[in-house]
Amino acid sequence: IDALSNVSNTDMWFQLRNYPSNARLDYKFVADNAWILDPRNPNTVTGGYGPNSELAMPLYVQPWEIEDRPGIPKGNLSSHTIQSTIMGTSYQVQVYLPPAYDTNATYPTAYFHDGQEYVSLANAQHILDNLIDSNLISPLIGVFVQPNNRNDEYAFGLRANYANFFSSELVQWVDSRYATRTDSATRASIGASFGGNISGYIVANHHDVFGMHGQHSGAWWPNNMEVLNMVVADWDILNLPMASVWGGYEGGLTGMWRILTDSIQFYQIPDKHLNEYPEGHSWGLWRATLDEILVELFPPSGIGTE
């Protein structure tokens, strides 16, 4: 927490910082030991802990694709409960079917960790509708999975069992009910922060099931950089299509992704989309760049329906 400076003999407080002209940041103030929004800034963005004040520099472009645009075909989002024998518990799952879904066709699939947040905070349903309508991605089926014990399932003691559930029981449940393509090259695992950690872990250990991975600020630091080490050590995994976006103001995570970028560039590894923005670790960044990941992994001229 950075303190503000007081202008002598006034009730005005300030802080000076320089940011790139396209930067966007979430922030709050601490007053009387409580977090508050900036009372003089009407611009807010929803985050994982409620709304934040938003600082958007003059060249930042607000994402059009997150809006609910009237007059375009809309997909269908349904809710389900799935029982896992491996985990000994049930999971809440939402399934997105694209407009004009046809059971006589087959579709690629995108699996989202922190599924409820991707729907409610990243506006994923609107993004899918808009990108499909604009022919920027192939029509696809989206599977949004909510964790029960997020830290353990995504990063620590339950991660191996959770990965087994995700790549076997969950995929089998989806493939048995929907018109999916079943080859790993048409199935992506996508996540943010710790969700990015389990996404990378699943692709590293089950790339016969998930042949693409998407990362939003993937927090790959748990277990001594376990996921990063697995991906870099196995060139077959590193050669799988991958799309990643992160913020330049994410501390150690920024440094980790720059190291990975340097490695990929040095070895000239293909099929990688890695992009850094002058933003922080937030759903504001992730919702504005989900289109970027989807366009890279599901281009209309590439992976599509059959």
Side-chain angles (χ1 to χ4, degrees):
I1 298 176
D2 297 325
L4 303 179
S5 299
N6 178 240
V7 177
S8 299
N9 301 316
T10 74
D11 60 358
M12 181 179 293
W13 297 77
F14 73 97
Q15 185 179 111
L16 295 177
R17 288 194 177 190
N18 292 316
Y19 293 110
S21 57
N22 64 331
R24 192 211 63 85
L25 296 162
D26 297 35
Y27 71 97
K28 283 180 178 174
F29 291 142
V30 179
D32 298 325
N33 296 316
W35 292 96
I36 64 168
L37 297 175
D38 184 344
R40 300 200 172 205
N41 182 0
N43 301 313
T44 61
V45 58
T46 303
Y49 297 95
N52 297 314
S53 294
E54 181 180 62
L55 167 65
M57 296 294 284
L59 294 187
Y60 177 79
V61 178
Q62 294 290 343
W64 67 272
E65 70 278 357
I66 70 173
E67 302 297 335
D68 183 3
R69 294 165 62 213
I72 69 168
K74 304 296 176 67
N76 178 68
L77 190 69
S78 58
S79 298
H80 309 269
T81 300
I82 297 178
Q83 183 66 36
S84 168
T85 300
I86 292 173
M87 299 301 294
T89 187
S90 60
Y91 288 91
Q92 299 304 307
V93 176
Q94 296 180 81
V95 177
Y96 170 90
L97 299 180
Y101 172 72
D102 182 359
T103 57
N104 293 317
T106 56
Y107 298 83
T109 46
Y111 286 72
F112 295 84
H113 305 279
D114 288 316
Q116 178 57 46
E117 283 72 20
Y118 266 102
V119 172
S120 63
L121 301 182
N123 295 9
Q125 183 175 5
H126 299 332
I127 292 172
L128 289 168
D129 287 342
N130 288 328
L131 296 185
I132 292 170
D133 178 70
S134 300
N135 196 35
L136 292 172
I137 62 172
S138 298
L140 60 84
I141 294 173
V143 182
F144 300 88
V145 187
Q146 194 64 12
N148 290 335
N149 187 346
R150 186 176 186 270
N151 286 356
D152 280 346
E153 290 169 348
Y154 282 7
F156 301 111
L158 296 176
R159 68 192 185 284
N161 284 346
Y162 187 82
N164 288 334
F165 148 70
F166 209 89
S167 60
S168 60
E169 293 176 324
L170 176 62
V171 169
Q172 290 168 12
W173 184 91
V174 172
D175 286 349
S176 69
R177 286 163 174 78
Y178 301 100
T180 60
R181 294 180 60 177
T182 57
D183 49 316
S184 62
T186 64
R187 193 182 288 123
S189 175
I190 300 172
S193 193
F194 268 6
N197 185 73
I198 193 61
S199 179
Y201 184 94
I202 287 172
V203 173
N205 288 283
H206 302 278
H207 49 280
D208 58 326
V209 180
F210 288 92
M212 301 185 290
H213 51 140
Q215 295 281 329
H216 272 132
S217 307
W220 283 4
W221 59 263
N223 309 299
N224 297 314
M225 299 285 187
E226 172 187 51
V227 173
L228 179 62
N229 292 333
M230 285 191 293
V231 170
V232 172
D234 191 331
W235 292 110
D236 290 338
I237 300 170
L238 198 59
N239 273 315
L240 295 174
M242 171 177 161
S244 181
V245 172
W246 65 92
Y249 300 109
E250 296 193 56
L253 292 183
T254 298
M256 179 195 70
W257 281 100
R258 288 175 181 170
I259 291 172
L260 182 63
T261 300
D262 290 344
S263 176
I264 287 172
Q265 291 175 344
F266 179 81
Y267 290 105
Q268 298 182 354
I269 307 298
D271 296 326
K272 297 291 175 291
H273 177 85
L274 306 172
N275 213 349
E276 179 179 319
Y277 288 92
E279 300 194 38
H281 194 79
S282 75
W283 282 102
L285 167 64
W286 304 332
R287 72 176 188 177
T289 54
L290 178 54
D291 65 323
E292 194 170 319
I293 289 175
L294 293 172
V295 167
E296 289 297 323
L297 298 181
F298 299 96
S301 59
I303 296 171
T305 57
E306 288 186 339

